């Protein structure tokens, strides 16, 4: 990779970092306003929490994990933009992103459905066949494993470099 390609790549990584920050702040802020701030203002005005606040928070629980995954990707690419080597930055990011997506998927498929039944917000089965949640959970598990493989490869590379 030439020096100009490297500079361009790092600039694009920095731009992606800011895109990730914008996404997390804007989406997270809107969801916080919609599901926490506005209901709290209504509760202060009326003296009672509006119906459906707990349901809304419960259904948005996986979103917190998905936004953390985006934040982790942006953070890793920000480190690459500042000159950190790609392999160490991405191996940690892959583990964090994988864990976040995996937990978000599991919560989406199993926890949201069953807690919704417990609080009486919905009726039905014990498993919600949310294909998107299942897919994100599986991709998250694969990314977590790939992050571990990249860590191991980095350690092996360091050993080989010491031998030379």
């Amino acid at each position: 990779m030439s020096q100009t390609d490297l500079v361009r790549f790092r600039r694009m990584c920095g731009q992606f970092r800011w895109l990730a920050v914008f996404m997390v702040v804007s989406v997270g802020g809107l969801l916080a306003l919609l599901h926490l701030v506005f209901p709290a203002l209504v509760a202060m005005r009326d003296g009672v929490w509006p119906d459906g606040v707990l349901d809304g928070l419960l259904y948005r629980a996986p979103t917190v994990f998905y936004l953390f995954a985006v934040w982790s990707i942006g953070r890793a690419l920000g480190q690459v933009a500042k000159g950190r080597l790609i392999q160490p930055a991405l191996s940690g990011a892959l583990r964090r992103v994988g864990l976040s997506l995996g937990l978000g998927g599991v919560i989406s498929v199993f926890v949201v459905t069953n807690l919704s039944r417990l609080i009486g917000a919905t009726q039905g089965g014990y498993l919600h066949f949310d294909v998107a949640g299942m897919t994100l959970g599986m991709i998250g598990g694969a990314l977590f494993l790939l992050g571990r493989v990249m860590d191991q490869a980095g350690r092996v590379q360091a050993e080989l470099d010491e031998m030379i």
Side-chain angles (χ1 to χ4, degrees):
M1 182 179 271
S2 71
Q3 189 64 23
T4 56
D5 289 339
L6 184 61
V7 169
R8 185 179 312 127
F9 175 71
R10 286 189 175 153
R11 187 177 64 240
M12 288 172 40
C13 287
Q15 290 169 346
F16 189 87
R17 177 190 180 271
W18 287 112
L19 179 64
V21 168
F22 174 75
M23 181 184 167
V24 169
V25 169
S26 62
V27 172
L30 287 172
L31 288 174
L33 281 173
L34 184 62
H35 294 287
L36 292 174
V37 175
F38 293 152
L41 291 174
V42 170
M44 287 174 32
R45 183 191 68 197
D46 298 343
V48 66
W49 281 88
D51 290 339
V53 172
L54 188 58
D55 303 345
L57 286 173
L58 183 60
Y59 283 112
R60 297 295 174 241
T63 307
V64 174
F65 292 95
Y66 300 148
L67 289 176
F68 181 74
V70 172
W71 181 267
S72 296
I73 291 169
R75 184 173 156 226
L77 290 179
Q79 291 174 352
V80 171
K82 291 178 183 173
R84 186 169 180 200
L85 294 176
I86 292 173
Q87 192 274 334
L90 290 185
S91 65
L94 282 175
R95 285 194 325 273
R96 284 189 300 278
V97 169
L99 193 59
S100 298
L101 292 179
L103 285 173
V106 166
I107 288 171
S108 173
V109 172
F110 295 105
V111 177
V112 170
T113 303
N114 290 315
L115 284 180
S116 296
R117 291 180 74 241
L118 283 176
I119 64 173
T122 180
Q123 297 175 351
Y126 293 96
L127 177 67
H128 176 60
F129 289 101
D130 176 18
V131 176
M134 291 176 183
T135 304
L136 284 173
M138 292 300 294
I139 290 171
L143 288 176
F144 181 80
L145 292 175
L146 286 174
R148 291 187 61 176
V149 168
M150 283 185 70
D151 275 342
Q152 181 66 25
R155 286 191 292 272
V156 169
Q157 182 67 42
E159 278 184 40
L160 291 174
D161 288 345
E162 288 176 8
M163 288 180 193
I164 295 177

